[in-house]
Amino acid sequence: MAIEDIVIPQMGESVAEGTVGTWLKAVGEAVAQDEPIVEIETDKVAMEVPSPFAGVLKEQLVAEGDTVEIGALIARVDTEGSASAAPKAETPAPEAESAPSPAPQSKTATEPAASAPAQTEAPASLMPMSPAVRRIVDDYNLDPSSVTGTGKDGRLTKADVLAAIESGKARTLSAPANAAAAPVDTGPREERVKMTRLRKTLAQRLKDAQNTAAMLTTYNEVDMTAVMQAREKYKDLFAKKHSIKLGFMSFFTKACCLALREVPAVNAMIDGEEIVYHNYANIGVAVSAPNGLVVPVLRDAQDMSFAGTELAIANFGKKARDGKLTIAEMQGGTFTISNGGIFGSLMSSPILNAPQSAILGMHKIQDRPVAINGQIEIRPMMYLALSYDHRIIDGREAVTFLVRVKEALEDPTRLLLDM
């Protein structure tokens, strides 16, 4: 027997401890090298801790919900052990095979035998699942048999389920036919759930931003006709050449980079008694993750192409869903873009992402009547909201920034001519 210790790895210079989330491997289960065994939640991100060794998980030394420091011992792996026998869904098969087969004297006698193989196939819903996989399956009400498992013995992994959801291959379970007649168990009238470390930290920082900054929001609206026409015209060529869809975020990112260069105060921050002006644009892109909102950063976005921007954002979205965003990828932002429109928001006032001094809120595109050259026309319009710290950004600068973003989006040629 060779026992190896597993400790919490270094997760960033500013991270000293984390909270144990979900154990992905049970004691006695086989573990491959670099296979995730537990989720750890820090102040900034939830991430999976892989096993540096292949073997069998011998001990879990911390429980879900425990607070652990970086470098703390959390588990032990037996690198020479073998996995304990787990109950498999195929167990009915030996019983069916051991039963004496009746002589094929009649058609009715052979029918049960013909259907026997179908009975021995294990339903996917009975296959063992890790807590993380079971949570996703239950949350989305998925039919496990619609997902192809790539784990040991065909088990479903977290990546399998998320990939099936993203590709649209995962089916949802339909309600029973007599569900309407059956009494509905709504469960308890109240439920108390402990806040995750990430949620507590997020709440504290948002409140700190509200208490510290002199926050104000200014609004404008943009006619999205030109952007939508450009996307429609070039979407197929763009996808064929770059293997990524042409979305709205690349247009908004480029427009913001141009406006930030013209109005540098919007890209600045207060540090003590000094104002720090950034001569680069590190654009934070707010994305939704299972454990809350996270803001990965497009570094030097002013130098990125449309394709590079779309590829980076798509990669951030996938990492956020998989819980694989690193702390380094969420640090160093100078300005943030939040797209509430994907959830149907028509207008909102986004809150600052401290220590940044401004954040742009995008919203739902909605057809509205507008006056164009003295005529009433129906145009796809979007409200824009810029929340900013009035201690460093004046109203004139905030309005100018929004107007420059509006002009660039309504005439995308400006993005190409750098105007």
Side-chain angles (χ1 to χ4, degrees), residues 253-310:
T253 301
K254 281 295 182 185
C256 286
C257 288
L258 289 177
L260 289 174
R261 190 175 61 195
E262 181 172 342
V263 190
V266 180
N267 198 37
M269 59 175 283
I270 294 178
D271 184 14
E273 296 183 356
E274 298 178 329
I275 298 176
V276 180
Y277 290 94
H278 304 103
N279 297 321
Y280 54 89
N282 283 355
I283 307 295
V285 183
V287 296
S288 180
N291 294 319
L293 191 72
V294 292
V295 187
V297 176
L298 297 169
R299 301 190 183 281
D300 291 314
Q302 76 281 356
D303 298 328
M304 298 178 70
S305 65
F306 276 67
T309 301
E310 295 291 352

Side-chain angles (χ1 to χ4, degrees), residues 107 123 133 183 193 198 236 241 364 395:
K107 181 178 179 180
V133 174
V193 179
L198 183 63
D236 293 336
K241 181 176 181 179
K364 177 183 177 181

Side-chain angles (χ1 to χ4, degrees), residues 39-348:
E39 292 178 344
I40 299 294
E41 297 176 354
T42 71
D43 292 347
K44 299 180 179 179
V45 67
M47 58 192 304
E48 297 174 341
V49 175
S51 170
F53 316 101
V56 174
L57 187 61
K58 191 70 175 177
E59 291 181 86
Q60 294 177 351
L61 301 178
V62 292
E64 295 181 0
D66 287 355
T67 298
V68 290
E69 295 182 353
I70 301 301
L73 178 64
I74 60 170
R76 290 192 173 96
V77 170
D78 182 359
T79 58
E80 297 179 355
S82 58
S84 58
K88 296 184 179 180
E90 293 84 1
T91 49
E95 298 178 8
E97 293 174 358
S98 62
S101 301
Q105 296 178 354
S106 65
K107 181 178 179 180
T108 56
T110 60
E111 287 177 351
S115 62
Q119 296 173 356
T120 61
E121 295 179 3
S125 59
L126 298 180
M127 292 291 288
M129 298 183 196
S130 69
V133 174
R134 171 61 66 184
R135 182 173 58 192
I136 299 175
V137 169
D138 291 343
D139 287 348
Y140 286 87
N141 192 33
L142 299 180
D143 178 4
S145 63
S146 65
V147 182
T148 302
T150 60
K152 183 180 178 182
D153 298 326
R155 297 186 188 184
L156 301 183
T157 66
K158 185 177 180 180
D160 295 335
V161 180
L162 292 173
I165 294 173
E166 186 173 355
S167 64
K169 295 180 180 179
R171 297 192 305 268
T172 56
L173 293 172
S174 57
N178 60 347
V184 179
D185 182 10
T186 58
R189 290 173 62 86
E190 291 183 352
E191 183 178 2
R192 291 181 179 268
V193 179
K194 185 177 180 180
M195 292 178 69
T196 64
R197 175 181 291 270
L198 183 63
R199 174 57 63 181
K200 286 190 293 185
T201 302
L202 180 63
Q204 183 61 48
R205 289 182 177 174
L206 291 177
K207 188 58 181 174
D208 288 345
Q210 190 178 51
N211 293 340
T212 302
M215 195 159 58
L216 188 64
T217 305
T218 185
Y219 301 91
N220 211 319
E221 62 178 354
V222 57
D223 184 347
M224 296 294 292
T225 300
V227 171
M228 294 177 72
Q229 288 176 345
R231 288 185 68 222
E232 183 63 28
K233 183 176 181 179
Y234 296 110
K235 65 179 182 180
D236 293 336
L237 288 174
F238 189 90
K240 183 178 180 180
K241 181 176 181 179
H242 302 292
S243 301
I244 189 69
K245 292 182 180 179
L246 177 59
F248 290 113
M249 286 300 298
S250 51
F251 286 91
F252 275 85
T253 301
K254 281 295 182 185
C256 286
C257 288
L258 289 177
L260 289 174
R261 190 175 61 195
E262 181 172 342
V263 190
V266 180
N267 198 37
M269 59 175 283
I270 294 178
D271 184 14
E273 296 183 356
E274 298 178 329
I275 298 176
V276 180
Y277 290 94
H278 304 103
N279 297 321
Y280 54 89
N282 283 355
I283 307 295
V285 183
V287 296
S288 180
N291 294 319
L293 191 72
V294 292
V295 187
V297 176
L298 297 169
R299 301 190 183 281
D300 291 314
Q302 76 281 356
D303 298 328
M304 298 178 70
S305 65
F306 276 67
T309 301
E310 295 291 352
L311 286 166
I313 292 174
N315 184 47
F316 284 150
K318 185 177 186 304
K319 282 188 173 184
R321 292 190 296 272
D322 295 346
K324 294 183 179 179
L325 276 174
T326 65
I327 293 173
E329 290 172 319
M330 293 186 289
Q331 292 178 329
T334 62
F335 180 80
T336 294
I337 302 175
S338 178
N339 185 6
I342 59 175
F343 303 111
S345 171
L346 186 62
M347 182 180 288
S348 66

Side-chain angles (χ1 to χ4, degrees), residues 222-226 228 365-368 378-382:
V222 57
D223 184 347
M224 296 294 292
T225 300
M228 294 177 72
I365 298 174
Q366 187 175 63
D367 287 344
R368 292 198 296 272
I378 302 299
R379 294 293 184 95
M381 305 298 293
M382 176 193 288

